[in-house]
Amino acid sequence: MTKPDSTSTKMAVEAAESAAAIQRQIERCGPLFSVLGSKLRDLNPSLVVTCARGSSDHAATYGKYLIETHLGLPVASVGPSVVSLYNTDLKVDGALFVAVSQSGRSPDLLRLAAAARKGGAYVVAFVNDETSPLAEAADLFIPLCAGPEISVAATKSYLTACFAFLSMVAEWKEDAALRHTASQAPAALSAAAELDWTPALLSLTDKTGLYIIGRGVGTGAIMEMALKCKETCRLHAEAFSAAEVIHGPLALVGPDFPVLAINQNDATAAATRAAIARCVDLGAPVFSSDDSVKGVIPLPSVPDLAPELAPLAAVQSFYMAIHTVSQRRGLNPDVPANLRKVTETV
């Protein structure tokens, strides 16, 4: 198998650093997650609120499914404009509030975090920039340890944010199996970075749109993939739950409308496979990390991964290919049109 080229763009170079970044987070932040787990067991919140935008919000979606499935707690994503524009006082006494950001500098996120703390929540910040005001505003700050990220398209900062949620849940629950899963993340992402999705995904070069489907703990991953298609390739991709796509959205699926599907070996696997099979039956080219469905175009995957790691590994492999699709479309994935690295919204 041909090794993906991780030197042709800053995006690819930085994505290839994800495993090392997660290892740094493990070594540096292990004690912080232990403290956080103990605090959350004492706090015993009945609600978790997340605050993020873009790729960071996709990481929060991954965290949402981990928290809801492993701890049984509802997780709500609150729109920053509720505070920054509508000037609403938040009633979140006793809740856990998790802010996720690369830069930690957007005014709306800062105002929402401040309002949550004023409203009685315990505020945790997962932030890559350790000098950021968001880090200073939190009750507990945990650095992502991704290191400098120059490409506008977030890669290793997304994966390290996801991993922060995995570590938090493992320590909060004091779950030996999840702790073991977390310890396997650097090796899993390192192996995923070596897998080559490029030959399959290059067929997207002349396409105008596609669906990206998954379910459950994979939902954040498909949202992140869809965003990267838009921002690096100017390719309109929509992320849909495998449960939702078989309703109205399925009307678009056919020979000229491709589908990219990921899956993980958990309670959602059989239903996701059924949705994939529906897309295949409609004649769509379906690229999938789950090759158990007849007729898919297989994407190589790291075998026997825990379901919590499979979506992260899929995103890692996707990152190592999508930058080449961008270049084939005559674009520079490091400098997407109309975008900049730090986006400050109100």
Side-chain angles (χ1 to χ4, degrees), residues 280-307:
V280 171
D281 289 344
L282 290 170
V286 180
F287 312 97
S288 181
S289 60
D290 183 345
D291 62 3
S292 66
V293 179
K294 184 178 180 180
V296 302
I297 301 165
L299 298 169
S301 61
V302 182
D304 303 322
L305 287 182

Side-chain angles (χ1 to χ4, degrees), residues 14-327:
E14 290 167 356
E17 295 169 355
S18 298
I22 284 176
Q23 185 62 45
R24 283 195 299 272
Q25 192 184 116
I26 291 172
E27 294 169 359
R28 183 177 171 196
C29 301
L32 288 174
F33 283 110
S34 180
V35 167
L36 177 57
S38 178
K39 173 67 179 180
L40 294 177
R41 288 191 298 276
D42 290 341
L43 180 64
N44 192 27
S46 59
L47 172 69
V48 180
V49 177
T50 63
C51 166
R53 290 198 186 278
S55 292
S56 295
D57 195 39
H58 304 159
T61 299
Y62 170 79
K64 166 187 169 72
Y65 276 93
L66 290 180
I67 294 165
E68 290 179 343
T69 58
H70 284 279
L71 295 162
L73 292 174
V75 181
S77 175
V78 174
S81 63
V82 167
V83 170
S84 66
L85 296 180
Y86 289 99
N87 296 307
T88 306
D89 293 328
L90 291 184
K91 299 174 182 178
V92 287
D93 188 47
L96 169 64
F97 181 94
V98 185
V100 189
S101 178
Q102 299 167 52
S103 69
R105 297 182 184 280
S106 188
D108 54 353
L109 298 188
L110 293 170
R111 285 196 60 186
L112 184 56
R117 197 170 185 183
K118 181 181 178 182
Y122 182 71
V123 177
V124 174
F126 297 151
V127 186
N128 197 39
D129 185 344
E130 299 183 31
T131 67
S132 71
L134 182 56
E136 296 177 0
D139 291 299
L140 180 64
F141 160 58
I142 297 182
L144 297 181
C145 302
E149 192 172 59
I150 306 303
S151 177
V152 170
T155 53
K156 58 181 177 173
S157 61
Y158 165 78
L159 289 169
T160 52
C162 289
F163 186 75
F165 277 105
L166 178 58
S167 295
M168 180 181 75
V169 173
E171 293 305 314
W172 186 353
K173 194 180 178 184
E174 295 186 290
D175 188 311
L178 269 188
R179 285 169 170 164
H180 176 72
T181 294
S183 74
Q184 301 302 302
L189 293 191
S190 181
E194 298 290 327
L195 301 178
D196 194 1
W197 286 20
T198 305
L201 296 193
L202 279 178
S203 65
L204 298 176
T205 300
D206 62 350
K207 302 301 182 185
T208 58
L210 74 154
Y211 288 156
I212 304 183
I213 67 172
R215 198 168 177 184
V217 75
T219 302
I222 63 172
M223 294 167 66
E224 173 63 7
M225 291 176 179
L227 175 62
K228 289 298 178 286
C229 286
K230 294 182 182 82
E231 68 181 348
T232 68
C233 299
R234 305 188 90 171
L235 175 61
H236 186 74
E238 285 193 80
F240 277 106
S241 161
E244 295 291 342
V245 78
I246 61 173
H247 296 283
L250 203 65
L252 289 181
V253 174
D256 296 321
F257 195 90
V259 175
L260 194 161
I262 66 170
N263 204 358
Q264 65 277 338
N265 188 24
D266 64 7
T268 67
T272 301
R273 291 188 187 110
I276 294 171
R278 286 285 301 277
C279 295
V280 171
D281 289 344
L282 290 170
V286 180
F287 312 97
S288 181
S289 60
D290 183 345
D291 62 3
S292 66
V293 179
K294 184 178 180 180
V296 302
I297 301 165
L299 298 169
S301 61
V302 182
D304 303 322
L305 287 182
E308 296 84 3
L309 287 184
L312 306 189
V315 170
Q316 175 73 85
S317 297
F318 173 84
Y319 283 157
M320 304 309 297
I322 198 64
H323 71 108
T324 301
V325 177
S326 173
Q327 291 174 302

